[in-house]
Amino acid sequence: MTTSEQVRDSPEGWVAEHIRRYVQTGGAEGHEWRPGVFTLLLTTRGRRSGKLRRTALIYGRDGDAYLVVASQGGAPRHPAWYLNLLADPEAQVQVGPDTFPVRARTATAEEKPRMWRTMTAAWPAYDEYQTKTDREIPVVVLERI
């Protein structure tokens, strides 16, 4: 990813506004989305378009890694950002004022229960989202490159 490439923010209005404030303030606004709930900005490369795509996601930590959940609110399909990471696992993350490259992977069957508990502690609605869909909602591990 090059800094000269245009980044397309989420088409979802409130998410795009969240991203705009996050970027403009270096995370001073938006890193803590709600009391005790923290978000990062994830930039992936579109698997079909090749364009950079950015979204805001709730995150948790597992050691040095960042965890995000590909829930899409329990929708029947995986979110586009997750499909993009499956096609190209190298991405960029902004956490507060810090921006850095990461490599993404889906949590293994052994890791997922522990990581799922971490994420539902941060956002309990993930358990509800899982009941709304037949797909297994992935936990994604973002490791700094």
Side-chain angles (χ1 to χ4, degrees), residues 48-123:
R48 292 189 300 249
S49 70
K51 298 183 185 317
L52 296 179
R53 308 286 184 183
R54 181 168 49 200
T55 194
L57 299 166
I58 294 168
Y59 76 89
R61 295 297 301 265
D62 187 66
D64 291 336
Y66 293 84
L67 306 177
V68 292
V69 177
S71 68
Q72 197 161 313
R77 294 195 174 115
H78 292 307
W81 64 262
Y82 178 69
L83 299 175
N84 291 344
L85 288 174
L86 291 177
D88 180 357
E90 292 195 7
Q92 183 172 292
V93 166
Q94 180 176 344
V95 179
D98 300 322
T99 301
F100 49 91
V102 295
R103 183 168 292 110
R105 64 179 180 81
T106 303
T108 65
E110 294 77 30
E111 294 172 316
K112 186 178 177 188
R114 171 177 49 81
M115 292 177 172
W116 185 263
R117 285 190 300 275
T118 297
M119 294 310 297
T120 57
W123 191 252

Side-chain angles (χ1 to χ4, degrees), residues 3-73:
T3 55
S4 63
E5 286 183 82
Q6 180 182 1
V7 179
R8 288 171 165 61
D9 291 335
S10 171
E12 188 70 36
W14 71 270
V15 178
E17 178 59 21
H18 179 91
I19 292 168
R20 185 190 64 72
R21 284 192 339 271
Y22 199 117
V23 170
Q24 285 182 343
T25 66
E29 290 182 32
H31 181 233
E32 187 169 10
W33 177 48
R34 294 187 178 171
V37 179
F38 295 89
T39 64
L40 56 73
L41 302 183
L42 174 68
T43 304
T44 61
R45 185 164 304 280
R47 66 197 176 285
R48 292 189 300 249
S49 70
K51 298 183 185 317
L52 296 179
R53 308 286 184 183
R54 181 168 49 200
T55 194
L57 299 166
I58 294 168
Y59 76 89
R61 295 297 301 265
D62 187 66
D64 291 336
Y66 293 84
L67 306 177
V68 292
V69 177
S71 68
Q72 197 161 313

Side-chain angles (χ1 to χ4, degrees), residues 115-136:
M115 292 177 172
W116 185 263
R117 285 190 300 275
T118 297
M119 294 310 297
T120 57
W123 191 252
Y126 288 135
D127 280 329
E128 176 192 339
Y129 299 164
Q130 184 60 79
T131 67
K132 293 167 54 176
T133 184
D134 291 332
R135 72 181 171 91
E136 183 171 335

